[in-house]
Amino acid sequence: MWRRAVQEIFPEAGFRAPAASAIAEAEERLGRRLPTDLGQVLLESDGVIGRSSVDTVWTVEQIVEQNLLFRSDESFARLYMPLDPFLFFGDNGGGDLFAFVQKPERPDVFVWEHESDSRRWVANDLRDYLGRSLRTGGDDWYQR
């Protein structure tokens, strides 16, 4: 279902092998469940590679490693407002990250702009995020 939806938007999207066996371990390491739609995407492909070879949706391992880093690195705690409410799952290739808010849990996707530490809404849900990020012509689609 998700592969087909992505290919309808961006036929050149890249896919990896499904990550079914890694999801439960990832949730355990993160101490939280992955949003349902994200889990479904990862069951079909361990990440989605979009325009300019950008990791529109990260691999399960990237999701775990990046989220654990942002939650534990003291330099991030000194530089930025708390990042704990977020579950980061993708990027734009230039340092800005896309995330679900998990405290409180909601389906919307937000961008965290690393240079300004701003956080703002960019999509209604994962399907909307994939449509917006893969349909447009650049990796800065969310800045328009």
Side-chain angles (χ1 to χ4, degrees):
M1 172 182 107
W2 285 99
R3 276 185 185 235
R4 183 173 42 216
V6 166
Q7 288 175 322
E8 286 175 7
I9 300 164
F10 182 57
E12 295 83 27
F15 299 99
R16 298 179 179 95
S21 62
I23 293 173
E25 180 184 339
E27 291 175 334
E28 185 176 322
R29 289 178 63 198
L30 289 169
R32 57 177 77 167
R33 294 194 45 79
L34 296 178
T36 302
D37 285 347
L38 180 59
Q40 293 296 319
V41 167
L42 296 169
L43 284 172
E44 291 185 35
S45 173
D46 192 9
V48 176
I49 303 164
R51 297 184 182 278
S52 306
S53 299
V54 168
D55 287 318
T56 303
V57 176
W58 291 337
T59 65
V60 171
E61 188 59 29
Q62 284 175 289
I63 291 170
V64 170
E65 294 303 320
Q66 292 299 310
N67 281 279
L68 291 178
L69 173 67
F70 280 107
R71 289 188 211 156
S72 64
D73 190 303
E74 290 182 25
S75 64
F76 290 128
R78 287 190 302 276
L79 289 171
Y80 305 117
M81 291 185 291
L83 297 168
D84 286 352
F86 292 109
L87 178 73
F88 296 108
F89 68 88
D91 65 76
N92 75 329
D96 294 338
L97 307 181
F98 298 98
F100 292 103
V101 173
Q102 295 214 292
K103 296 177 186 178
E105 187 174 335
R106 51 191 293 178
D108 308 83
V109 175
F110 288 76
V111 63
W112 173 64
E113 295 175 287
H114 71 290
E115 291 174 350
S116 64
D117 194 24
S118 69
R119 300 112 191 270
R120 62 187 171 79
W121 178 94
V122 293
N124 292 318
D125 54 25
L126 186 60
R127 183 175 300 278
D128 187 31
Y129 162 78
L130 289 169
R132 290 172 187 251
S133 63
L134 295 173
R135 190 171 286 121
T136 61
D139 297 328
D140 63 347
W141 61 271
Y142 56 93
Q143 296 176 342
R144 298 182 189 132

